[in-house]
Amino acid sequence: MSPSPQEDRPPTPDDARPVLRPPRSLGAVLWFPVSAYARAPFALLAATALPLVPGQLLGALLDLGGTEGARVVDGEVLAPPTPLGAGTSISLGNVELTSGWFADALTLVGWVIGLAVGALVAAGVLFDRRLDARAAVRSVARRLPGLALWSVLLLVFAAFALGSAGAGWIMLFSALTGDMAWSVTTLVWPLLGTLMLVLATPLLLGPPIAVLYGLTLPEAIGAAWLLARGRRAAHLLCLLPLGALLLLPGTVEDRVTEALAGSGTGLALGTGLGLKVLLVLVLAPLPVLLLTGQALWAPRDGSAAASTLGGPAGPRLVADRPHRAGTLPGAPPRRLLAAVALAASLVLVALASGAALGVNPHGAPGVTTERLSPDEFEALAEGRLPGGYDVPAPPAEVTRSDGRPLVGDRDDEVYLRDCRDTACSEWDTLPLGGGSVNSLHGPPGLAVDDRDRPRVAFVDGTSGMLTFLACADPGCAAWETTELLDPYDLPLRMSAEDPSGYAPVRVLPTDGDRPELLLGHHRIACADPLCGLTV
């Protein structure tokens, strides 16, 4: 019985003719990511972007919880300060892990898995073959321990290589421009850094070569070293677009956040994060394809790499059922729907990440700062400076429209003394929190608006932030607060009268609805009415 046309048959030279050609030059290697991505975008996105989604979502969730205290100062979005007495990292011996280390680690794991699977998908695109998904999963799964060890090794080695190269070339440039004296280290560090980057190339090419040629990771790294022989400068140049692709999403996030800083922390941080996540996912195939193109760079005939690698992977890794037409077939409707669903899900991940951060209520309003001249400072701070070290400034006192004094002071916490008569023979005490008095956290600034509602400012003893408090009524039965900035955002100007450099804190009288505060030698103005409060 003769086989039907639908049954498998041995591949013929016409069947196996690749739609794309393996790269044979540096230009072809650099063009390979664009051509392969254009030919099978959704397959490559599924292989490289989907493994990154858990890490990106977790990172967005951590950003959402960590934006409390983020603020816009003079058009720049600043990260939340470290709460007093709290740390932002975990110490494991000599290794410091930041608060978002788990999300970064999950993203790295996703990138490594995407690198291995994406290399197989790229080879299938290159040779116009269907990829056996089960074989690809088995190929990557049995290498997961080695890939995990490779990830750690790559992080350590890359950090040392980039640090050595960066420091070395900065030193050399400084010496050439006359900013630094010539020495032995001026020449040694650039050479050492460049050598480390040369050694990093086979390390980067190890995973794609391992899955494409069925080698172990040590064998693949050794083969990558042989493959790069005679082409080390070209592989070194490939690190430039690779680094640019990996750094581009974070750079765009920073630029967009700065551009939208005037609109408040929520929109600025949310838009920046959303664009970063979208770029991370959409650009995910390009670094993988760049490394795969280098791994598939045809070895020189007769070279050690040619005898070691031979040709690309056999039927264990890329299915050997070629398309009879020699081109990729049109996708059936279910594949079209899957492609649309994939694209929509990636966009929704970015939108959800950015939108959640954009509506986060913890973001601080924007403020502008002005450094005062000595004469301006003395006029505004008169009678409000501390008496010396550990001698706080005197209490703040204002007079209401009916002549009754209102006093702001601080002991175990910030409080108001609301006098019942003009002689203040009796008063009501209104505690407001804010922590106890010390050399940095002195008495509050105090003012009343045209309806006798108190406006208070103080440096919070827990968060360390300059805090503005607005009372909803003259008796301050209810109030709202917002944190504006960290005093350490501003330059210090210490003196014998003000050892901390941040006294006094005052609420300056103003006719408008945007309060102005005095913090040390700086005038602070809110960009939003009532600094974003609604009382």
Side-chain angles (χ1 to χ4, degrees), residues 296-326:
L296 291 173
W297 195 345
R300 300 174 186 272
D301 294 335
S303 64
S307 59
T308 301
L309 297 178
R316 287 184 305 151
L317 304 178
V318 177
D320 61 349
R321 185 192 300 172
H323 304 306
R324 292 174 173 81

Side-chain angles (χ1 to χ4, degrees), residues 16 39 78 81 128 234 250 291 362 375 377 402 451 467 514 530:
R39 185 152 194 88
L78 302 179
D128 196 20
L291 293 173
H362 298 304
D375 292 339
F377 171 73
D402 59 4
R451 294 166 55 186
T467 302
R514 288 173 170 79
L530 205 57

Side-chain angles (χ1 to χ4, degrees), residues 133-432:
R134 288 174 298 178
V137 170
R138 288 196 301 268
S139 174
V140 175
R142 69 170 178 263
R143 292 180 171 85
L144 280 180
L147 289 172
L149 181 61
W150 173 84
S151 303
V152 176
L153 179 62
L154 178 66
L155 284 178
V156 174
F157 191 87
F160 183 73
L162 292 173
S164 301
W169 286 105
I170 289 174
M171 291 170 60
L172 182 60
F173 179 78
S174 299
L176 291 173
T177 56
D179 295 333
M180 181 177 177
W182 286 91
S183 64
V184 175
T185 56
T186 307
L187 299 176
V188 170
W189 274 106
L191 295 177
L192 177 62
T194 303
L195 176 62
M196 296 298 292
L197 290 178
V198 170
L199 295 175
T201 299
L203 190 62
L204 283 168
L205 298 183
I209 287 181
V211 297
L212 289 173
Y213 295 92
L215 304 176
T216 65
L217 269 173
E219 291 172 339
I221 293 172
W225 176 259
L226 296 176
L227 181 65
R229 183 175 295 174
R231 302 168 174 167
R232 306 207 188 279
H235 284 290
L236 195 61
L237 288 175
C238 289
L239 294 178
L240 296 178
L242 179 65
L245 289 170
L246 295 177
L247 295 175
L248 180 62
T251 303
V252 169
E253 179 187 25
D254 293 340
R255 297 294 181 268
V256 170
T257 300
E258 292 174 4
L260 297 177
S263 59
T265 53
L267 180 61
L269 293 173
T271 305
L273 176 65
L275 282 176
K276 186 202 81 168
V277 172
L278 184 62
L279 286 175
V280 166
L281 299 178
V282 172
L283 298 179
L286 294 178
V288 171
L289 290 171
L290 182 59
L291 293 173
T292 303
Q294 295 178 72
L296 291 173
W297 195 345
R300 300 174 186 272
D301 294 335
S303 64
S307 59
T308 301
L309 297 178
R316 287 184 305 151
L317 304 178
V318 177
D320 61 349
R321 185 192 300 172
H323 304 306
R324 292 174 173 81
T327 58
L328 290 175
R334 56 192 177 96
R335 290 188 179 180
L336 179 60
L337 291 177
V340 172
L342 172 64
S345 64
L346 296 182
V347 173
L348 284 176
V349 168
L351 287 176
S353 302
L357 190 60
V359 299
N360 177 26
H362 298 304
V367 299
T368 58
T369 67
E370 176 190 359
R371 184 70 175 264
L372 300 176
S373 68
D375 292 339
E376 291 173 320
F377 171 73
E378 290 175 5
L380 293 174
E382 184 178 2
R384 297 287 297 127
L385 286 173
Y389 187 73
D390 280 343
V391 180
E397 182 176 337
V398 296
T399 303
R400 295 182 183 272
S401 59
D402 59 4
R404 293 182 298 119
L406 179 66
V407 180
D409 205 352
R410 191 174 200 158
D411 191 359
D412 293 332
E413 61 181 339
V414 175
Y415 63 89
L416 298 179
R417 286 202 306 267
D418 190 6
C419 298
R420 297 179 180 179
D421 53 54
T422 57
C424 205
S425 57
E426 293 182 336
W427 62 82
D428 297 313
T429 301
L430 306 172
L432 302 176

Side-chain angles (χ1 to χ4, degrees), residues 437-524:
V437 65
N438 56 41
S439 60
L440 177 60
H441 312 130
L446 179 62
V448 291
D449 67 1
D450 55 3
R451 294 166 55 186
D452 278 346
R453 294 177 298 181
R455 305 297 187 230
V456 187
F458 53 89
V459 177
D460 190 274
T462 301
S463 66
M465 298 281 284
L466 175 64
T467 302
F468 177 71
L469 180 150
C471 295
D473 55 84
C476 209
W479 67 81
E480 292 182 0
T481 63
T482 183
E483 295 178 334
L484 301 181
L485 55 78
D486 185 347
Y488 291 102
D489 295 335
L490 306 174
L492 281 169
R493 182 178 286 183
M494 295 181 292
S495 64
E497 296 80 11
D498 179 20
S500 72
Y502 297 121
V505 175
R506 288 194 61 190
V507 181
L508 303 177
T510 178
D511 296 330
D513 57 359
R514 288 173 170 79
E516 291 187 352
L517 313 180
L518 182 68
L519 178 64
H521 291 256
H522 291 81
R523 189 199 309 266
I524 314 296

Side-chain angles (χ1 to χ4, degrees), residues 89-171:
S89 62
I90 301 174
S91 297
L92 297 177
N94 294 325
V95 179
E96 292 288 331
L97 300 178
T98 62
S99 58
W101 71 270
F102 189 72
D104 295 336
L106 195 58
T107 298
L108 177 62
V109 170
W111 188 82
V112 172
I113 293 174
L115 175 60
V117 178
L120 294 174
V121 174
V125 173
L126 177 67
F127 293 98
D128 196 20
R129 296 179 179 179
R130 295 185 185 274
L131 179 65
D132 185 347
R134 288 174 298 178
V137 170
R138 288 196 301 268
S139 174
V140 175
R142 69 170 178 263
R143 292 180 171 85
L144 280 180
L147 289 172
L149 181 61
W150 173 84
S151 303
V152 176
L153 179 62
L154 178 66
L155 284 178
V156 174
F157 191 87
F160 183 73
L162 292 173
S164 301
W169 286 105
I170 289 174
M171 291 170 60

